[in-house]
Amino acid sequence: MSRLSRLRDEMRVKPGSRVDLSKIDPADDHGWRKDDADAETTQQLARLSDLQDRFWAEAKRSVLVVLQGIDAAGKDGTIRKVIGELNPAGVNIVSFGVPTPEERRHHFLWRVRRAVPGPGYVGVFNRSHYEDVLVARVHRLVPGGVWKRRYGQINNFERALVDDHVTVLKVMLHVSYEEQRRRLLARLDDPTKHWKYNPGDVDERRLWPDYQAAYADALGRCSTDHAPWYVVPADHKWYRNWAVAHLLRETFADLDPRYPSPDFDVEAEKARVKAA
Ligand code: AMP
Ligand code: MG
């Protein structure tokens, strides 16, 4: 247990720190072997699923999982393999793509506010408001003064969420340049994955250093005590699943959700059901 807690602390970006992603090994596995990690992941997910059942029944608070990572970092795979174990009735997955003309007319947080999960729900953002300090910065979609102000706006927004009983879990899937190459090529080699490939991904890949710098700033400036960022080494999919399952399970365990007590007399109801 203490070993697991240490790993959780290790993945957390210290608030106010300067992040150097080149110092974090994307292929890190903390000495786990795949088989052991997979077995542990299964256990974590079973416990997580039990906790989420209570959380859903309790219907008081929300959890927002923010998933960020470059193309082919494994956002979709994480949703399938980890989030997929939850009761789907209580899960709300929202993907953020290029803003629509209507979205562009509003403040960048407008579409994000509308997607915040309600009580009892686990919201998952597949990309998020962070794109507005990542792609928007790298492609100079807005002037520098605008994206620089957004870090503070994001921190205030997330502060308000936490005050509203939304626990914010932010996960950056950290893959290497080499691994992204392998995954993009694998997509091209497999006709069933062509739909996932976008020729524009190569153009983004060419901007790798700019994205790494933009990610480092977003992680450093927006990892707060109330809404910390976690960097998950994601070159090994099994390790990524293990790490995210673990982060989620710990988050729900801290919330300690409880089944609500019935507002009726159970014995009396039993008698009524039998008699009816
Ligand atoms: P995908 O996640 O592969 O479906 O791609 C979604 C695309 O939408 C990515 O290229 C993102 O960079 C882009 N995107 C998401 N949010 C924004 C945003 N706020 N501004 C511009 N592009 C965005
Ligand atoms: Mg894509």
Side-chain angles (χ1 to χ4, degrees), residues 41-61:
T41 301
T42 304
Q43 279 182 24
Q44 295 284 321
L45 290 175
R47 282 194 235 156
L48 171 62
S49 165
D50 172 66
L51 286 162
Q52 185 228 355
D53 196 53
R54 294 162 192 264
F55 182 80
W56 175 238
E58 188 190 73
K60 281 191 186 148
R61 300 169 288 177

Short mmCIF file of all heavy atoms in Angstrom, two decimals, residues 41-61:
data_model
loop_
_atom_site.label_atom_id
_atom_site.label_comp_id
_atom_site.label_asym_id
_atom_site.label_seq_id
_atom_site.Cartn_x
_atom_site.Cartn_y
_atom_site.Cartn_z
N THR A 41 -4.25 -4.49 -11.80
CA THR A 41 -5.22 -3.59 -12.44
C THR A 41 -6.63 -4.15 -12.30
O THR A 41 -7.58 -3.44 -11.97
CB THR A 41 -4.87 -3.38 -13.93
OG1 THR A 41 -3.55 -2.84 -14.01
CG2 THR A 41 -5.84 -2.44 -14.61
N THR A 42 -6.75 -5.46 -12.54
CA THR A 42 -8.06 -6.11 -12.42
C THR A 42 -8.62 -5.92 -11.01
O THR A 42 -9.81 -5.62 -10.85
CB THR A 42 -7.93 -7.62 -12.75
OG1 THR A 42 -7.36 -7.72 -14.06
CG2 THR A 42 -9.27 -8.31 -12.74
N GLN A 43 -7.75 -6.08 -10.02
CA GLN A 43 -8.20 -5.89 -8.63
C GLN A 43 -8.61 -4.44 -8.36
O GLN A 43 -9.62 -4.18 -7.72
CB GLN A 43 -7.07 -6.23 -7.67
CG GLN A 43 -6.91 -7.71 -7.42
CD GLN A 43 -5.78 -7.97 -6.42
OE1 GLN A 43 -5.44 -7.09 -5.62
NE2 GLN A 43 -5.21 -9.15 -6.50
N GLN A 44 -7.78 -3.53 -8.85
CA GLN A 44 -8.08 -2.10 -8.64
C GLN A 44 -9.42 -1.75 -9.27
O GLN A 44 -10.21 -1.01 -8.70
CB GLN A 44 -7.00 -1.23 -9.30
CG GLN A 44 -5.62 -1.35 -8.71
CD GLN A 44 -5.52 -0.62 -7.37
OE1 GLN A 44 -6.07 0.45 -7.20
NE2 GLN A 44 -4.82 -1.24 -6.44
N LEU A 45 -9.65 -2.29 -10.47
CA LEU A 45 -10.87 -1.95 -11.19
C LEU A 45 -12.10 -2.53 -10.50
O LEU A 45 -13.17 -1.91 -10.50
CB LEU A 45 -10.77 -2.42 -12.65
CG LEU A 45 -9.78 -1.62 -13.51
CD1 LEU A 45 -9.65 -2.23 -14.90
CD2 LEU A 45 -10.20 -0.15 -13.62
N ALA A 46 -11.94 -3.71 -9.89
CA ALA A 46 -13.07 -4.30 -9.17
C ALA A 46 -13.43 -3.42 -7.97
O ALA A 46 -14.60 -3.14 -7.70
CB ALA A 46 -12.72 -5.71 -8.71
N ARG A 47 -12.41 -2.95 -7.27
CA ARG A 47 -12.67 -2.07 -6.12
C ARG A 47 -13.24 -0.73 -6.57
O ARG A 47 -14.12 -0.18 -5.94
CB ARG A 47 -11.38 -1.85 -5.34
CG ARG A 47 -11.04 -3.05 -4.47
CD ARG A 47 -9.97 -2.65 -3.48
NE ARG A 47 -8.85 -3.58 -3.62
CZ ARG A 47 -7.61 -3.30 -3.28
NH1 ARG A 47 -7.30 -2.11 -2.81
NH2 ARG A 47 -6.68 -4.20 -3.41
N LEU A 48 -12.68 -0.23 -7.67
CA LEU A 48 -13.16 1.04 -8.21
C LEU A 48 -14.64 0.93 -8.57
O LEU A 48 -15.44 1.82 -8.26
CB LEU A 48 -12.33 1.40 -9.45
CG LEU A 48 -12.82 2.59 -10.27
CD1 LEU A 48 -12.79 3.86 -9.44
CD2 LEU A 48 -11.96 2.76 -11.53
N SER A 49 -14.99 -0.16 -9.21
CA SER A 49 -16.36 -0.37 -9.64
C SER A 49 -17.31 -0.41 -8.43
O SER A 49 -18.41 0.17 -8.46
CB SER A 49 -16.40 -1.66 -10.45
OG SER A 49 -17.68 -2.10 -10.61
N ASP A 50 -16.88 -1.05 -7.35
CA ASP A 50 -17.68 -1.08 -6.13
C ASP A 50 -17.83 0.33 -5.55
O ASP A 50 -18.92 0.73 -5.15
CB ASP A 50 -17.00 -2.02 -5.12
CG ASP A 50 -17.68 -1.95 -3.76
OD1 ASP A 50 -18.85 -2.36 -3.67
OD2 ASP A 50 -17.05 -1.46 -2.80
N LEU A 51 -16.74 1.07 -5.52
CA LEU A 51 -16.79 2.44 -4.99
C LEU A 51 -17.70 3.33 -5.84
O LEU A 51 -18.45 4.15 -5.33
CB LEU A 51 -15.37 3.05 -4.94
CG LEU A 51 -14.47 2.50 -3.83
CD1 LEU A 51 -13.00 2.81 -4.14
CD2 LEU A 51 -14.85 3.08 -2.47
N GLN A 52 -17.60 3.15 -7.16
CA GLN A 52 -18.44 3.99 -8.03
C GLN A 52 -19.91 3.65 -7.87
O GLN A 52 -20.78 4.52 -8.00
CB GLN A 52 -18.04 3.82 -9.51
CG GLN A 52 -18.79 4.77 -10.44
CD GLN A 52 -19.36 4.09 -11.67
OE1 GLN A 52 -19.13 2.89 -11.88
NE2 GLN A 52 -20.10 4.81 -12.48
N ASP A 53 -20.23 2.39 -7.56
CA ASP A 53 -21.61 2.01 -7.32
C ASP A 53 -22.16 2.80 -6.12
O ASP A 53 -23.28 3.32 -6.15
CB ASP A 53 -21.69 0.50 -7.05
CG ASP A 53 -23.10 -0.02 -7.18
OD1 ASP A 53 -23.73 0.24 -8.23
OD2 ASP A 53 -23.60 -0.65 -6.22
N ARG A 54 -21.35 2.90 -5.08
CA ARG A 54 -21.76 3.68 -3.89
C ARG A 54 -21.90 5.16 -4.23
O ARG A 54 -22.82 5.83 -3.77
CB ARG A 54 -20.71 3.55 -2.79
CG ARG A 54 -20.58 2.15 -2.25
CD ARG A 54 -19.25 1.98 -1.51
NE ARG A 54 -19.04 0.58 -1.25
CZ ARG A 54 -19.36 0.00 -0.09
NH1 ARG A 54 -19.83 0.71 0.90
NH2 ARG A 54 -19.19 -1.29 0.07
N PHE A 55 -20.94 5.63 -5.01
CA PHE A 55 -20.89 7.04 -5.41
C PHE A 55 -22.14 7.42 -6.21
O PHE A 55 -22.74 8.47 -6.01
CB PHE A 55 -19.62 7.22 -6.23
CG PHE A 55 -19.34 8.61 -6.70
CD1 PHE A 55 -18.78 9.54 -5.86
CD2 PHE A 55 -19.60 8.97 -8.01
CE1 PHE A 55 -18.49 10.83 -6.30
CE2 PHE A 55 -19.32 10.25 -8.47
CZ PHE A 55 -18.77 11.17 -7.61
N TRP A 56 -22.52 6.54 -7.10
CA TRP A 56 -23.70 6.73 -7.95
C TRP A 56 -24.97 6.70 -7.10
O TRP A 56 -25.87 7.51 -7.26
CB TRP A 56 -23.69 5.63 -9.01
CG TRP A 56 -24.87 5.55 -9.93
CD1 TRP A 56 -25.69 4.46 -10.10
CD2 TRP A 56 -25.35 6.54 -10.85
NE1 TRP A 56 -26.64 4.73 -11.04
CE2 TRP A 56 -26.45 6.00 -11.52
CE3 TRP A 56 -24.95 7.84 -11.15
CZ2 TRP A 56 -27.18 6.70 -12.48
CZ3 TRP A 56 -25.66 8.55 -12.10
CH2 TRP A 56 -26.76 7.98 -12.76
N ALA A 57 -25.00 5.76 -6.14
CA ALA A 57 -26.16 5.65 -5.25
C ALA A 57 -26.26 6.89 -4.36
O ALA A 57 -27.34 7.42 -4.13
CB ALA A 57 -26.04 4.39 -4.39
N GLU A 58 -25.14 7.34 -3.90
CA GLU A 58 -25.08 8.51 -3.02
C GLU A 58 -25.56 9.78 -3.75
O GLU A 58 -26.27 10.61 -3.19
CB GLU A 58 -23.64 8.69 -2.55
CG GLU A 58 -23.41 9.72 -1.50
CD GLU A 58 -21.92 9.96 -1.30
OE1 GLU A 58 -21.30 10.60 -2.18
OE2 GLU A 58 -21.38 9.51 -0.29
N ALA A 59 -25.15 9.88 -5.02
CA ALA A 59 -25.63 10.96 -5.92
C ALA A 59 -25.48 12.37 -5.35
O ALA A 59 -26.38 13.20 -5.50
CB ALA A 59 -27.08 10.69 -6.32
N LYS A 60 -24.38 12.63 -4.71
CA LYS A 60 -24.18 13.96 -4.10
C LYS A 60 -23.04 14.72 -4.75
O LYS A 60 -23.07 15.94 -4.84
CB LYS A 60 -23.85 13.80 -2.62
CG LYS A 60 -25.05 13.54 -1.75
CD LYS A 60 -24.63 13.66 -0.29
CE LYS A 60 -25.77 13.28 0.63
NZ LYS A 60 -25.26 12.67 1.86
N ARG A 61 -22.00 13.99 -5.10
CA ARG A 61 -20.78 14.66 -5.58
C ARG A 61 -20.45 14.19 -6.99
O ARG A 61 -21.05 13.25 -7.50
CB ARG A 61 -19.64 14.32 -4.62
CG ARG A 61 -19.94 14.80 -3.21
CD ARG A 61 -18.98 14.25 -2.21
NE ARG A 61 -19.18 12.82 -1.96
CZ ARG A 61 -18.41 12.10 -1.14
NH1 ARG A 61 -17.41 12.66 -0.52
NH2 ARG A 61 -18.65 10.81 -0.97
#
